[in-house]
Amino acid sequence: MQTAHEFFLHELSDMLDAERRILYGLEQQSKEGANEKLQQAFQQHHEQTQGQIVRLEQCFEELGEEPEDTECAGIKGILEEHDNIKEEDPSDDILDVFNATAATKVERYEITAYEALINLADLMEHTKVSKLLKQNLREEEQTLKKITAISGKLEIEDMGMEEEEEDEGEEVEELGEEDDSIVAGVEERDIDDDRRGKKAPTKSKSRGRRIA
């Protein structure tokens, strides 16, 4: 890979592979969880992604090139995280939160990738290709806003905090008892010091008489 053109084709091919993987992931996510708004968002973005794939293919046609056989490691990794979580048998509300978070990761990844592709296309004066890529970018930005809004309203029923809070309460009581014993010990030492302090002057006076 020695030229900007070669690099551009590689990155464009990587993005095409990413969108194809995302298409499969969205099909799975739209059937998972319990939040209907989130499921609908995934279904709508599934349709958008189909159109984005078509535009990327049009970019190659415009350039008179064929896509390379590449693998988008970034998106592949996010999809593997999803599969790993599913193996843990999460509740529907946990799965909703995870899927929304994963979708946010995907959208931010895509937005950054499209911005870089557009910069390259503009540098090489691929005007029509840049226009197609900008349309994909706008859709990704809209989807990110939608997913972010839905994410802010998701709730988890079981926070799993009750036992932890009880343990913390017991620790606080134990610390309080320890503090009381420490304070008592300090007070006893203070009393002893006071008593010793009262006896000391008597001794000094008696010594004074002897010297005299």
Side-chain angles (χ1 to χ4, degrees), residues 194-207:
D194 289 343
R195 288 172 180 171
R196 284 195 294 272
K198 290 176 182 177
K199 292 178 181 179
T202 304
K203 290 180 180 179
S204 64
K205 287 178 182 179
S206 61
R207 288 197 196 97

Side-chain angles (χ1 to χ4, degrees), residues 43-93:
Q43 289 169 0
Q44 291 171 0
H45 194 47
H46 183 274
E47 295 174 5
Q48 276 187 335
T49 304
Q50 289 176 319
Q52 290 167 1
I53 290 171
V54 171
R55 291 189 201 105
L56 287 171
E57 290 171 343
Q58 290 174 346
C59 288
F60 283 101
E61 291 175 7
E62 183 65 29
L63 295 169
E65 299 281 1
E66 291 291 330
E68 298 176 5
D69 185 15
T70 60
E71 180 179 89
C72 183
I75 296 301
K76 182 183 177 184
I78 295 175
L79 294 177
E80 286 176 352
E81 287 179 357
H82 169 270
D83 294 341
N84 291 338
I85 285 291
K86 286 295 294 291
E87 289 178 2
E88 298 294 328
D89 192 26
S91 60
D92 283 343
D93 53 345

Side-chain angles (χ1 to χ4, degrees), residues 3 15 22 25 27 34 66 78 80-81 104 110 120 131 133 173 189-190 205:
T3 67
M15 198 68 238
I22 292 166
E27 186 175 350
E66 291 291 330
I78 295 175
E80 286 176 352
E81 287 179 357
T104 301
E110 288 185 287
L120 280 171
K131 186 176 180 180
L133 294 172
E173 287 180 6
R189 286 197 297 274
D190 289 344
K205 287 178 182 179

